[in-house]
Amino acid sequence: MRRTTTRFGTRSAAGSGTRSGRERSALDVAYDECRRLVRTTRPTEYALMQLMPPTVRPACWALYAALASADDLLDSTEGTPQERSRRLQEWRTALEADLAGGTSDDPVRLALTDAVWHWGLDPADLLGALDAVQGDEAREGVATWQEWRERAHAQNVSWPEQLMRMLVRSGLPVPVRLRDLPGFTRFVDGLFLADMLRDLPEDLDGGHVWFPAEVLDRFGVTPADLISRAWTPAVRRLVAHLVGQARQWLESSRRALRNTLPLGPAIVLDTAVELFGAELDALVRSGSAVLHRPVRVPRHIEWRIVGPARARAAVVWRLTLPPGRDETPVRTAGGAAGRGATDDGSAPLAPTGPERLVTRVAEPPLPPRPHRDGACPPAIAEAHLPRHVAIVMDGNGRWATGLGLPRDEGHRAGAVALRDVVQGALEIGLAHLTVYAFSTENWKRSPDEVSKLFAIMRSELLDGELLDHDVRLRWVGSPDGLPEDVVEVLRAQEHATRNRTGLTLNVCVNYGGRAELAEAGAALARAALAGEVDPARVSEQLFAAHLPHHALPDVDLLWRTSGEIRTSNFLPWHAHYAELHFTDQPWPDVDRRDLWEAVVAYTHRKRRKGAASAPASPEGAE
């Protein structure tokens, strides 16, 4: 592959000049696909990638997604082992051709090809790792720990070494040959064993047991015992030993590597050991479930580890990388992050004109994403469902403060919770969901918190997950004072989802209930002055027609989290007869099951709307 050299490292000759809008859009979609794949299937690894400099992250997603795609082809239950091996060989051959040609028609291979050409990565090393993955198909197991380590290193050493190479290209002096550092191979062993324990249910589904025969024999456990999911005392002791072994390898490697790495990579190392250690703790607590389903780290523990590390890493990259190399990459037409430097080595320019925020929606829309623990929605007849649920998503800042995290980490965790609640709303067939994202009173918060909240909001909208599902997004609120890029993305997502017919998600940004009523009154006054309205004939219906968001249906159920018992200027006109539901948990601790509980509670309410109860009573209106 012929490359030219810039002061920031190597780049492909094919990358010279300016890419067309279509090429940029295809690359954005490709990187976005890689990001979504890693984020949904490997949240721990995704969290670690977020600690890397922003310009490097898209390439991290592409590298990991390529190895994961190869692994998935082998682990698939479709076809015979020979057919799966043939599909992987075809994918690998296509990748080799793509790397030589500089482009691809497959999104994961396209992103990986672009990353290799842009960062000057070693394609032979990557292809060697894929060959090692393919070699698993011919194996029936491994006999010794030494054989197990050879397999682990062949498949996994390339990936972190490529990351180090990108840091060098970014201007950070780090050792590229990580495998030569004392403790690195033991670190890979610990990660590989922890990953193997996490993926044990999937391996058992495929009839594979990859632990060395020597450790199985030591505890008197056969592969058949594990595949049958028999939680015997011997299996329990085996799992406890393997968890302890992985933990010991991770901790000993951290002690050996900490003083040999620059500060930025050292933060990533420490966080990796802490996160995988938390996964091992969760495995121990899960008991026999470790054989049946993937085990996840509780969200609050993950944020307690990742939040401070993200803040430290951001500061370190700004201090240690050359100017401009730690900046967040510009998002281009498809919404994915740009690749960092432009072809002349400078920071990329934001695209202009209508291409700037072109968005894409999945056609047909994808079904709702299942709950991570397999929870199923309650069976509620459509006639009993509330038509419109409104939520005051309260408690993000207090949740973060209680865990010793910056307040903006609470807003990030709240965004994750909203994603899951939206999926739950789709599962039960809810028609309208309105969420209070930013009120007109929230401007009283510190400028730093407001700025970070808007950045998180924009990032979540640009991520594009909603566009994959049958969700129509509508913005409720005023553009006055909002950052231009936030207004732009809200309007772009409204336009992109305008033809969706499933859930309507109303996002209240810069919204205040009194302001809404005042605006309707002003509109009526102007109409009266113009002679269009007779003031003596103003009715509720006429007033409602002059509300800025008059098409919003009345709220049936208003739910507020975090223990506060008030509605906080939220939809006063539309929620005049809403059933109220208050829960104590802060919003980041909520998921779709809490929405389902709220809706089930609603179905047991008797809604009279001012009418008398049966039997009729002459006393008291509601």
Side-chain angles (χ1 to χ4, degrees):
M1 181 187 309
R2 181 173 64 89
R3 301 189 185 93
T4 57
T5 304
T6 72
R7 61 190 177 96
F8 291 121
T10 58
R11 63 178 172 83
S12 65
S16 60
T18 303
R19 289 187 182 275
S20 70
R22 179 173 297 179
E23 288 174 311
R24 283 199 304 273
S25 179
L27 275 175
D28 292 337
V29 171
Y31 277 109
D32 192 54
E33 179 65 22
C34 293
R35 180 189 187 192
R36 187 175 292 111
L37 189 154
V38 179
R39 185 173 188 171
T40 56
T41 63
R42 281 294 185 267
T44 298
E45 286 83 347
Y46 180 81
L48 291 171
M49 293 177 202
Q50 296 303 95
L51 302 181
M52 297 292 284
T55 50
V56 174
R57 291 175 198 165
C60 295
W61 308 330
L63 285 165
Y64 198 92
L67 293 176
S69 296
D71 201 43
D72 289 346
L73 286 171
L74 272 189
D75 291 343
S76 169
T77 57
E78 297 179 6
T80 65
Q82 293 77 17
E83 290 171 337
R84 293 195 294 270
S85 181
R86 177 179 50 79
R87 286 198 294 268
L88 176 56
Q89 180 58 46
E90 291 172 352
W91 197 87
R92 189 244 189 239
T93 301
L95 174 61
E96 190 170 12
D98 295 341
L99 290 172
T103 188
S104 176
D105 56 3
D106 176 88
V108 173
R109 295 201 304 266
L110 175 60
L112 180 61
T113 298
D114 184 71
V116 167
W117 280 66
H118 180 83
W119 291 100
L121 305 182
D122 185 352
D125 212 9
L126 295 170
L127 293 171
L130 292 178
D131 291 339
V133 171
Q134 186 166 18
D136 278 349
E137 191 60 40
R139 295 176 186 259
E140 295 184 358
V142 292
T144 64
W145 276 116
Q146 181 58 36
E147 184 180 350
W148 180 92
R149 289 189 183 95
E150 291 172 359
R151 173 177 179 259
H153 298 170
Q155 295 184 16
N156 294 281
V157 167
S158 170
W159 193 77
E161 286 201 331
Q162 302 285 5
L163 300 189
M164 291 299 101
R165 189 169 283 111
M166 287 189 285
L167 290 179
V168 171
R169 300 286 194 270
S170 297
L172 187 72
V174 294
V176 179
R177 289 282 299 180
L178 281 175
R179 68 188 77 191
D180 295 338
L181 291 180
F184 174 70
T185 54
R186 188 52 51 92
F187 177 67
V188 171
D189 293 343
L191 291 184
F192 193 58
L193 183 54
D195 183 69
M196 187 172 288
L197 287 164
R198 178 179 59 188
D199 290 345
L200 184 56
E202 295 178 15
D203 288 338
L204 297 180
D205 288 342
H208 298 301
V209 175
W210 294 113
F211 303 126
E214 68 176 75
V215 75
L216 297 179
D217 294 341
R218 175 182 169 186
F219 288 89
V221 175
T222 66
D225 294 333
L226 291 172
I227 292 172
S228 68
R229 268 74 166 193
W231 188 242
T232 63
V235 170
R236 187 166 58 249
R237 288 193 296 271
L238 169 68
V239 171
H241 169 77
L242 293 172
V243 167
Q245 184 69 81
R247 195 189 310 276
Q248 190 271 326
W249 284 342
L250 289 171
E251 288 294 345
S252 64
S253 66
R254 171 159 61 176
R255 290 191 295 271
L257 287 168
R258 181 179 284 160
N259 295 327
T260 63
L261 292 173
L263 188 53
I267 291 173
V268 179
L269 168 73
D270 276 333
T271 310
V273 173
E274 293 294 331
L275 274 178
F276 278 90
E279 284 199 345
L280 294 172
D281 292 339
L283 288 168
V284 171
R285 289 193 300 269
S286 70
S288 61
V290 70
L291 304 177
H292 296 275
R293 57 178 173 80
V295 176
R296 284 288 308 277
V297 177
R299 189 182 301 161
H300 70 279
I301 294 177
E302 180 179 316
W303 279 98
R304 186 183 300 159
I305 295 169
V306 173
R310 181 181 288 174
R312 291 197 304 272
V315 172
V316 167
W317 297 131
R318 289 193 182 98
L319 293 176
T320 57
L321 292 180
R325 302 304 288 170
D326 63 322
E327 295 175 357
T328 302
V330 173
R331 300 181 73 94
T332 54
R339 261 65 57 202
T342 56
D343 295 316
D344 62 359
S346 61
L349 297 174
T352 57
E355 181 188 68
R356 184 173 179 184
L357 272 179
V358 175
T359 53
R360 61 183 182 86
V361 295
E363 291 295 352
L366 300 177
R369 173 170 42 81
H371 187 267
R372 64 177 182 274
D373 292 334
C376 295
I380 303 175
E382 183 178 354
H384 296 155
L385 274 175
R387 184 181 179 215
H388 185 184
V389 174
I391 308 176
V392 181
M393 305 180 294
D394 192 25
N396 290 344
R398 294 190 296 278
W399 176 89
T401 301
L403 294 174
L405 301 175
R407 287 179 62 87
D408 58 289
E409 294 300 336
H411 297 309
R412 287 192 177 89
V416 174
L418 178 58
R419 285 172 178 249
D420 196 71
V421 167
V422 168
Q423 298 296 327
L426 285 167
E427 284 189 296
I428 62 174
L430 197 63
H432 294 268
L433 177 67
T434 300
V435 294
Y436 213 175
F438 187 85
S439 75
T440 50
E441 288 79 14
N442 288 151
W443 289 107
K444 300 173 185 176
R445 299 185 180 185
S446 72
D448 180 66
E449 181 179 352
V450 170
S451 175
K452 289 178 178 177
L453 198 155
F454 284 139
I456 293 166
M457 187 185 302
R458 184 174 185 272
S459 175
E460 283 295 310
L461 288 167
L462 283 170
D463 184 73
E465 179 177 310
L466 292 178
L467 304 182
D468 289 337
H469 301 281
D470 198 5
V471 177
R472 179 190 179 195
L473 187 136
R474 296 182 65 195
W475 170 28
V476 177
S478 168
D480 296 341
L482 287 178
E484 183 181 342
D485 59 349
V486 173
V487 173
E488 186 179 30
V489 72
L490 283 166
R491 287 175 171 161
Q493 300 290 53
E494 270 195 310
H495 181 76
T497 61
R498 65 193 183 281
N499 294 322
R500 292 297 202 209
T501 58
L503 172 70
T504 296
L505 176 63
N506 304 293
V507 181
C508 294
V509 179
N510 202 24
Y511 169 86
R514 286 186 172 184
E516 180 183 38
L517 298 180
E519 190 173 341
L524 267 174
R526 287 192 297 271
L529 287 173
E532 299 170 358
V533 171
D534 180 356
R537 303 180 69 85
V538 172
S539 63
E540 290 184 12
Q541 292 75 20
L542 186 60
F543 184 89
H546 284 78
L547 288 167
H549 307 287
H550 58 84
L552 200 66
D554 285 348
V555 175
D556 298 305
L557 172 64
L558 192 153
W559 168 28
R560 180 172 186 146
T561 63
S562 203
E564 301 290 348
I565 313 296
R566 58 178 180 269
T567 59
S568 296
N569 199 23
F570 186 38
L571 301 175
W573 181 271
H574 301 90
H576 60 297
Y577 268 121
E579 297 293 325
L580 303 180
H581 182 76
F582 299 101
T583 54
D584 291 332
Q585 78 271 47
W587 180 252
D589 286 338
V590 165
D591 71 7
R592 70 186 76 182
R593 293 172 295 187
D594 299 290
L595 170 68
W596 296 340
E597 288 180 10
V599 170
V600 169
Y602 166 87
T603 65
H604 296 143
R605 304 275 183 95
K606 295 184 181 298
R607 308 199 70 214
R608 301 191 302 275
K609 296 187 177 181
S613 302
S617 169
E619 297 184 309
E622 192 180 66

